[in-house]
Amino acid sequence: MEILAFGVQSDEKPLIEKAFEGLHDVRCLDVFLNRDTAPIAAGYEIVSTSVNADLGSQVLQTLAAGGTQMIAQRSTGFNNIDLEVAERLALRVARVSYYSPYSVAEFAWTLAMAVNRRIIRAASRTRDFDFRLDGLLGRDMRGRTVGVLGTGKIGEAFTRIAHGFGMKLLGWDVAQNPACVELGMEYVDKERLFAEADLISLHVPLLPSTQHIIDEAALKAMKDDAILVNSSRGGLIDTAALVTELRAGRFLGVGLDVYEAEAGLFFLDKSLEGIDDDTLARLVTFPHVVVTSHQAYYTEDAVGQIIDATVKNVTDYLARRTSENVLVPRA
């Protein structure tokens, strides 16, 4: 059987081909699955997709009409999939429920320290042999307060690093993580976390209840010199409201690895054509904002685990087995 994989990065391709070697043939495409590319999947029973794939109603109907019966998404998040339509079309949908939480947690801290210590500005200056320190003043993390929204596996890993820095730990989640409590985390309501935290990092999934959890009111409740980091999902932040606050001169720094309108932009080269997203264009002009292109998960360890889980999802489907990765079992 040949499997069609959409949205495969050049670094991923040899890893995917090696993982499926001896099991199934796999055709890797660098284009992302959307309404325009969905017809390519005609004749493929199994399709693998990336996190920014469009798996809305129209795309799912095109896949089903072309003979696709199983979708293996290479990510944990699945807010891009219309699960009700998939179920109605009898499409089996599986995701990767777990991969290295350290990849994302460590990258969140990379963003936090990059904006705190002005790394991008400093590196840009030294390339021009400008070795002044003006405008590069950062601050110690030790003794300051970190607020962690979402204390699952990634939030816990982030908290352990914060504990190593010697920070005061505040957390918010629907359920407390005993490991975080043992580290000294105090669980508080969001309002107190926003008001007291010097650094706020987001690690909650994107759900209807968390859409724009960082809205205008939340942003205004934060300290003027707070650092805000998002390595989870772009829709957690009302980006237009964030730009308004940044224009008012607020926040020591903002580090974003995700953006709520990133589909069709992230993972693609837009350097020669530019973009027509005025909000993102404005966002990247702020000197104390760092935007990266959804790369927090992108380590050898995490990508390897994602691919291994995808292979298992395909194998389980063919063996008519289910697992915790299955979102929609095929009827």
Side-chain angles (χ1 to χ4, degrees), residues 90-288:
L91 290 168
R92 174 153 167 161
V93 180
R95 61 160 179 163
V96 177
S97 59
Y98 174 86
Y99 60 83
S100 169
Y102 309 107
S103 60
V104 179
E106 290 171 4
F107 194 84
W109 268 107
T110 300
L111 288 174
M113 295 309 293
V115 296
N116 175 38
R117 301 308 301 268
R118 314 301 190 192
I119 298 299
I120 306 301
R121 179 184 295 180
S124 177
R125 281 186 183 180
T126 55
R127 284 179 182 273
D128 294 328
F129 304 108
D130 179 353
F131 301 107
R132 293 172 300 158
L133 297 182
D134 295 344
L136 303 182
L137 188 67
R139 61 189 184 189
D140 293 357
M141 287 297 177
R142 181 175 179 82
R144 286 189 161 82
T145 299
V146 63
V148 185
L149 269 73
T151 56
K153 292 182 175 66
I154 296 173
E156 178 187 333
F158 183 90
T159 299
R160 290 188 181 279
I161 299 171
H163 181 262
F165 273 111
M167 303 186 75
K168 178 182 177 181
L169 310 174
L170 296 181
W172 177 88
D173 209 327
V174 294
Q176 296 187 9
N177 183 334
C180 292
V181 174
E182 188 175 344
L183 291 170
M185 174 172 279
E186 180 183 1
Y187 279 85
V188 298
D189 57 40
K190 295 193 298 293
E191 290 70 27
R192 179 179 165 192
L193 187 149
F194 295 149
E196 296 185 11
D198 299 295
L199 164 63
I200 296 172
S201 191
L202 310 182
H203 301 288
V204 295
L206 181 59
L207 304 168
S209 60
T210 60
Q211 177 79 27
H212 285 183
I213 192 171
I214 305 299
D215 56 11
E216 180 183 3
L219 291 164
K220 289 187 179 301
M222 295 176 191
K223 293 182 176 181
D224 288 342
D225 61 351
I227 294 173
L228 176 62
V229 172
N230 186 12
S231 58
S232 183
R233 287 292 182 269
L236 299 176
I237 296 179
D238 182 340
T239 315
L242 175 61
V243 169
T244 298
E245 295 304 307
L246 289 168
R247 291 181 63 186
R250 301 191 62 231
F251 304 128
L252 178 70
V254 175
L256 304 174
D257 185 52
V258 287
Y259 173 60
E260 59 181 328
E262 68 183 53
L265 292 174
F266 282 20
F267 305 145
L268 300 173
D269 182 3
K270 296 289 185 178
S271 60
L272 296 179
E273 57 188 279
I275 61 171
D276 56 7
D277 187 323
D278 292 338
T279 302
L280 179 59
R282 184 68 180 93
L283 191 63
V284 299
T285 64
F286 293 103
H288 57 314

Side-chain angles (χ1 to χ4, degrees), residues 61-80:
Q61 291 180 56
T62 301
L63 293 178
T68 297
Q69 298 180 34
M70 193 267 180
I71 299 168
Q73 175 137 303
R74 303 187 308 277
S75 73
T76 297
F78 53 90
N79 55 285
N80 61 318

Side-chain angles (χ1 to χ4, degrees), residues 1 41 43-47 60 63-72 86 89-94 317-318 320 328-331:
M1 176 177 293
Y44 287 91
E45 181 178 343
I46 300 174
V47 168
L60 291 174
L63 293 178
T68 297
Q69 298 180 34
M70 193 267 180
I71 299 168
L89 295 171
L91 290 168
R92 174 153 167 161
V93 180
Y317 160 74
L318 294 173
R320 298 179 180 273
V328 180
R330 186 166 181 266

